[in-house]
Amino acid sequence: MRPPSRARPGPRPPPTFPDIGFLGPDAILGHAIFIDGHPDIRWRGGADLGRLADSGASVAHCPSPFARYGQAMDHFGRYRARGINVGLGTDVAPHNLAEEMRLAIMLARVMAADYRAVDTAEMFRAATVGGADALGRADLGRLAPGAKADIVLLDLDHPAMRPARDPLRTFLFEAADRAVREVFVDGRPVVENGRPLHLDPEGAAAQLEESQARMLAEAPARDFLGRAGDDIAPHSLPL
């Protein structure tokens, strides 16, 4: 694991994160996908996973942005088996942690070529306790005395949650956010009957469309090749 560095004269290699004292229980590594041993990396030492585990550092696993470009962690279950704390993040828009859980578990199983590489309970842990522990916040990510009462209630009668023999598995693989009925943050309601209480969805969507139109109009002045927005991100189907 090497931090970004400029090429320096002489035979001395650039410093690694352990060399500069970066790794430790208070460090969170974003993504941490391309460690040695990853099939797309030529370094075959295989020591990085052990260094991460020994340091107590956490990994913020955000599968979507890399999956969009054909890359994936190799693999979630291997990191956890070494005792590395992994928290789940999004790093894309719109933010949807339920979808990230589903993608993360599928990618882990594909990369491992083994459906036993990670189970739903372990992935749920990463999306809740894992992130809280990475932040050093024992009052987040769990339902416990003294915690912040961040609670998501699911509608078990929602068609995508039926039959509810294993609600967690059904939520992760089938229903996702469609079954979310109520959300409380620090004990205060923020979603009721599936609708946000402190956000105007139509107004937010209008602002988003306005921002996108402005971004497309300004693209030639900001792009290093002077390309139009439609050239940078062409439509999937011809208009």
Side-chain angles (χ1 to χ4, degrees), residues 48-70:
D48 282 350
L49 205 62
R51 291 191 185 106
L52 273 175
D54 293 341
S55 73
S58 295
V59 169
H61 180 35
C62 309
S64 284
F66 280 90
R68 291 180 179 184
Y69 294 97

Side-chain angles (χ1 to χ4, degrees), residues 31 34 44 73 83 89 112 118 170 178 184 202 223 228 236:
H31 305 296
F34 297 116
R44 297 299 178 187
M73 172 185 281
V118 58
T170 304
R178 291 177 293 170
F184 297 84
E202 292 299 325
D223 180 59
S236 299

Side-chain angles (χ1 to χ4, degrees), residues 53-162:
D54 293 341
S55 73
S58 295
V59 169
H61 180 35
C62 309
S64 284
F66 280 90
R68 291 180 179 184
Y69 294 97
Q71 301 287 355
M73 172 185 281
D74 183 39
H75 55 83
F76 180 96
R78 190 161 68 99
Y79 283 56
R80 287 295 299 138
R82 290 299 300 269
I84 298 169
N85 180 54
V86 181
L88 206 61
T90 54
D91 201 18
V92 292
H95 305 298
N96 190 324
L97 199 58
E99 294 292 348
E100 296 296 324
M101 281 194 285
R102 174 161 47 190
L103 181 60
I105 196 170
M106 289 182 174
L107 289 174
R109 291 174 174 181
V110 168
M111 294 297 289
D114 185 355
Y115 77 94
R116 298 164 297 183
V118 58
D119 60 22
T120 52
E122 188 62 45
M123 191 57 65
F124 183 67
R125 180 202 174 278
T128 54
V129 176
D133 288 352
L135 295 171
R137 294 289 299 270
D139 58 337
L140 300 177
R142 64 221 350 124
L143 298 178
K148 288 291 187 179
D150 298 334
I151 304 170
V152 177
L153 301 180
L154 304 180
D155 181 5
L156 296 184
D157 290 327
H158 191 284
M161 287 294 295
R162 305 285 294 274

Side-chain angles (χ1 to χ4, degrees), residues 95 149-155 176-201:
H95 305 298
D150 298 334
I151 304 170
V152 177
L153 301 180
L154 304 180
D155 181 5
D177 56 300
R178 291 177 293 170
V180 173
R181 188 180 68 192
E182 321 282 347
V183 178
F184 297 84
V185 176
D186 198 10
R188 293 186 290 272
V190 297
V191 173
E192 187 176 84
N193 293 321
R195 300 287 295 178
L197 297 178
H198 308 294
L199 172 70
D200 171 18

